[in-house]
Amino acid sequence: MSELPPLIAARGLVKRYGATLAVNALDLNVARGELFGLIGPDGAGKSSVMKAIAGVLTFDGGELAVFGQSLVSDAACEAAKARLGLMPQGLGQNLYADLSVEENLDFFARLRLVPPDVAAARKDKLLEMTRLARFRQRPMKNLSGGMKQKLGLVCTLIHAPELVILDEPTTGVDPVSRRDFWAILAELLAEEQMTALVSTAYMDEASRFHRVALMHAGQALAVGRPSELLAHAPGCMVTVHTEAQWPALAALRPQFAQLGALGNALQVYADGGDEAQALAAVDACLRPVLAADSYQLEAGEPELEDVFIAMLRQRGERLPDSQALTAAAPARASGGEPVIEARALTRDFAEFRAVDAVSFQVQPGEIFGLLGANGAGKTTVIKMLTGILPPSSGVGRVAGVDMRGAGRAIKERIGYMSQAFSLYLDLTVSENIRLYAGIYGLNRARTQARLDWIVDMAGLHGFEDALAASLPMGLRQRLALGCALVHQPQVLFLDEPTSGVDPLGRRQFWDILFTLARRDGVALLVTTHAMSEAEHCDHLALMFAGRLVADASPAAMKRELTAQRGPLWDIRCADPTAALARLRAAGVAASAYGNRLHLFAREDELNARVRPLLGADARCQLRPVSMEDVFVERVTALEAEKPV
């Protein structure tokens, strides 16, 4: 791969939008046959780089060559476009809503001048590979988010491009569809010897790529294999297991700049790579305030997102600081009656049952996660529990009151941050806050006090007179959270609150939620597609096709999966594509992760069935089970029992 000239070569690439420097002297090489990732938050410059490479956006400085040709003229850009495929950001943005799956594919084949016989054969192959063949006649607008993205991919690939450019293809897609998308892409790249340039804001997707560039403020902070990037900010992640989270957090904050809550544990990033020193430093902070038998410490390797944040911190970037929020003593309620309760909650829409006899409870001060693929029924459950939709049967109780007959008084104790709408974008920050305060009947003095609190909580100082539409996504979401909290509710419902938010903003958001739960005793019900965020929850409920199919803590769900399937193995070998084909032919369920393989197996099965198919050079290492693994395995098994 490295002996050939790069397929993409950028030197000192610059792109400006007025006074904004979107791409800042970027150097980048992408080799032929690579799956290369641009990873970074919104505004990092990823889309601008990709559009320039695709020949659809001019650049203001530096050099850019694709397929060995400099993109200095319209003719050169047009020549490059014929040999590549571009899939823009957004679910189905390159598709036509009223056309069927097959009609969309036929349209793109004609647009790309693919001969009819070639187009027909390629269409059949791509539809079969993506399992869209039986949905040929379904209109695009009636597809799920994951199916839209798979259709967008095959339309991008219909003319067999040498280079495919995919701009955040998995944003807003549920974990099963996301993993399915990556598996299909890896298989296509291996079969057709294509090169792929893919952007993502999900740091946990880095392991899918051969190489990645960590993007921030238009620059590449680091470029290399995912495993190599950990060395750019050497450190150790120490997990603190303790019931006394609050005093532990207060004791650790003065010493460690990078830490946060993760469910019933705390995670502390200690600079430097020595595990023994990291454990000793954390223990020295905790020993004066906690009994020796009240906490346990565990050291491990940090995730790429932790390293990314450490790199920003070492460059002098200001990290989110919620120390003021956590300064007061905790007043978390404990015991007593649940504040959210669903009893056989059911909702029908004509002949379609969206929610089927769902039951669960949420205690005061608990962070409760409601998980499920697109269309599982999560949002419908929230709408019934907030009184927006009446249930067809069953009971939804909040703060001890049946929501079917709840009056204004009970609704004033509930905060709701919806997936689709929470802010008036043509109003300023202050105007949005004052509007919500007026809706909830706050007087002038209390409105001003809550406005000041929200501005502090959300880090909005200096933005009070800015339109909500002009705010970065992370600030906008924190403003929406503030508006949902303006009347100090006892219960808060959040429907995918961090979708599209960058890693720094997402961490600050969860720090705020942790404070609300642990200090103020607010009960939180959260839906999310980001499985790394599910780790923040005290308790989880997994929905599938309107039913509740699992209800336990994250740790319990992981233990159950390991007991059923065996541990998770990370496998490195010389030819992972060929090894994957041999494993699948032998009936072993495995998946591609960049240049590695993942599979569940007990050690005796690994030695007897798997190792002989891998080759003598293969290395198998145990890998911790994640909530994404749990989600995908459970939902995939359920889909096999009840196909879509």
Side-chain angles (χ1 to χ4, degrees):
M1 194 183 294
S2 58
E3 298 175 358
L4 298 172
L7 192 74
I8 301 169
R11 296 288 177 272
L13 188 67
V14 174
K15 177 61 186 177
R16 294 185 179 88
Y17 298 98
T20 302
L21 186 60
V23 183
N24 184 7
L26 178 71
D27 293 338
L28 193 69
N29 280 343
V30 178
R32 294 175 185 273
E34 263 195 314
L35 176 54
F36 193 97
L38 297 180
I39 302 183
D42 288 345
K46 306 187 301 295
S47 293
S48 295
V49 171
M50 301 182 95
K51 289 175 183 176
I53 291 169
V56 298
L57 181 71
T58 60
F59 52 95
D60 300 306
E63 301 175 0
L64 179 61
V66 180
F67 303 117
Q69 298 295 315
S70 177
L71 300 187
V72 293
S73 66
D74 290 343
C77 290
E78 289 304 315
K81 288 177 193 176
R83 301 170 65 183
L84 60 81
L86 171 65
M87 182 174 164
Q89 186 176 341
L91 292 176
Q93 288 298 304
N94 62 329
L95 304 173
Y96 292 87
D98 292 322
L99 297 184
S100 68
V101 167
E102 188 159 34
E103 289 168 341
N104 267 285
L105 267 168
D106 289 341
F107 171 80
F108 278 91
R110 290 194 297 271
L111 187 68
R112 287 295 194 166
L113 304 178
V114 182
D117 56 335
V118 175
R122 188 156 178 80
K123 177 172 65 175
D124 290 343
K125 173 187 174 182
L126 291 170
L127 288 177
E128 191 64 35
M129 182 177 288
T130 54
R131 299 194 299 279
L132 290 173
R134 58 197 178 95
F135 303 105
R136 285 173 181 260
Q137 303 309 315
R138 182 176 292 186
M140 170 269 185
K141 62 186 177 184
N142 294 338
L143 300 177
S144 70
M147 292 169 74
K148 286 176 183 176
Q149 291 304 79
K150 287 192 283 187
L151 177 58
L153 177 63
V154 298
C155 287
T156 303
L157 298 174
I158 190 65
H159 62 297
E162 298 172 55
L163 168 65
V164 58
I165 300 174
L166 309 174
D167 195 0
E168 298 201 11
T170 57
T171 296
V173 176
D174 68 79
V176 175
S177 298
R178 190 158 67 235
R179 188 172 288 194
D180 200 22
F181 186 94
W182 284 112
I184 292 163
L185 181 60
E187 189 174 346
L188 283 166
L189 292 177
E191 275 193 19
E192 306 194 1
Q193 301 300 303
M194 286 189 299
T195 303
L197 178 65
V198 186
S199 69
T200 178
Y202 296 119
M203 295 282 169
D204 59 352
E205 291 188 335
S207 59
R208 308 281 186 180
F209 299 101
H210 299 141
R211 289 194 306 135
V212 300
L214 285 182
M215 298 284 295
H216 176 69
Q219 296 179 313
L221 300 184
V223 180
R225 295 179 182 275
S227 58
E228 297 170 347
L229 298 185
L230 299 179
H232 284 268
C236 176
M237 184 61 69
V238 177
T239 302
V240 182
H241 301 279
T242 180
E243 293 295 320
Q245 278 184 300
W246 199 271
L249 189 65
L252 292 164
R253 274 198 186 282
Q255 184 70 26
F256 297 97
Q258 193 172 330
L259 77 162
L262 196 68
N264 290 318
L266 300 176
Q267 287 202 318
V268 186
Y269 190 92
D271 293 322
D274 190 315
E275 289 190 2
Q277 290 179 349
L279 289 168
V282 172
D283 188 58
C285 292
L286 296 177
R287 203 179 311 123
V289 296
L290 299 181
D293 61 353
S294 67
Y295 65 93
Q296 293 179 327
L297 304 182
E298 180 183 353
E301 190 176 76
E303 299 292 336
L304 185 61
E305 184 172 305
D306 302 307
V307 172
F308 175 75
I309 292 173
M311 291 172 67
L312 295 182
R313 177 166 50 82
Q314 292 170 8
R315 286 165 55 97
E317 297 280 343
R318 182 179 178 274
L319 292 186
D321 180 14
S322 61
Q323 191 162 351
L325 285 173
T326 58
R332 184 184 180 187
S334 60
E337 294 295 318
V339 288
I340 304 174
E341 188 174 12
R343 297 185 200 162
L345 207 55
T346 301
R347 175 68 194 198
D348 296 323
F349 294 96
E351 301 300 317
F352 174 67
R353 176 152 290 184
V355 176
D356 187 3
V358 165
S359 299
F360 60 83
Q361 295 181 347
V362 183
Q363 301 295 325
E366 185 176 29
I367 303 175
F368 188 95
L370 195 58
L371 309 182
N374 291 325
K378 306 182 302 296
T379 298
T380 304
V381 167
I382 286 183
K383 287 182 176 179
M384 286 189 283
L385 288 171
T386 52
I388 295 172
L389 278 176
S392 302
S393 63
V395 176
R397 298 178 66 84
V398 178
V401 177
D402 189 331
M403 290 306 295
R404 286 178 298 188
R408 180 179 176 85
I410 186 64
K411 292 184 180 180
E412 287 177 354
R413 289 187 250 166
I414 295 172
Y416 178 34
M417 184 174 163
S418 74
Q419 181 180 344
F421 173 81
S422 289
L423 297 173
Y424 292 87
L425 299 182
D426 55 348
L427 298 183
T428 67
V429 166
S430 294
E431 287 168 344
N432 267 286
I433 297 170
R434 292 184 186 279
L435 173 64
Y436 276 89
I439 290 172
Y440 285 105
L442 275 63
N443 61 31
R444 182 176 298 181
R446 192 176 172 210
T447 294
Q448 186 60 48
R450 295 304 292 165
L451 189 152
D452 293 341
W453 182 87
I454 291 168
V455 169
D456 282 338
M457 175 273 294
L460 287 165
H461 287 288
F463 293 94
E464 292 90 340
D465 297 323
L467 291 177
S470 70
L471 297 177
M473 180 61 75
L475 284 180
R476 192 185 302 177
Q477 293 299 82
R478 295 201 295 276
L479 171 60
L481 175 63
C483 290
L485 293 168
V486 70
H487 55 303
Q488 295 179 281
Q490 299 174 10
V491 180
L492 183 60
F493 296 88
L494 303 113
D495 197 3
E496 295 187 26
T498 59
S499 181
V501 178
D502 65 78
L504 282 174
R506 197 161 59 243
R507 290 203 171 198
Q508 185 175 16
F509 194 94
W510 276 99
D511 203 4
I512 293 166
L513 296 187
F514 172 79
T515 300
L516 290 169
R518 297 297 189 265
R519 187 190 70 187
D520 302 328
V522 177
L524 306 176
L525 192 154
V526 186
T527 72
T528 179
H529 273 158
M531 289 298 102
S532 60
E533 295 190 351
E535 309 278 1
H536 289 274
C537 298
D538 301 311
H539 203 93
L540 297 171
L542 174 58
M543 291 188 67
F544 176 79
R547 294 180 292 111
L548 208 64
V549 295
D551 183 6
S553 69
M557 288 189 179
K558 293 175 191 176
R559 287 195 298 269
E560 183 182 358
L561 177 61
T562 303
Q564 291 174 348
R565 299 286 309 279
L568 178 62
W569 297 91
D570 181 272
I571 299 171
R572 299 172 186 265
C573 55
D575 190 348
T577 302
L580 181 61
R582 291 194 297 270
L583 288 169
R584 288 179 173 171
V588 178
S591 58
Y593 266 75
N595 56 0
R596 307 197 305 277
L597 303 177
H598 278 185
L599 59 84
F600 286 91
R602 304 187 193 284
E603 193 160 1
D604 55 351
E605 181 188 8
L606 183 81
N607 293 327
R609 292 189 64 199
V610 176
R611 287 187 186 275
L613 300 171
L614 297 176
D617 66 311
R619 289 184 297 146
C620 303
Q621 292 182 315
L622 287 172
R623 177 184 172 90
V625 174
S626 68
M627 274 311 303
E628 180 174 316
D629 296 315
V630 173
F631 185 99
V632 170
E633 292 296 321
R634 289 296 300 265
V635 173
T636 301
L638 290 164
E639 286 180 343
E641 296 171 10
K642 182 182 177 181
V644 176

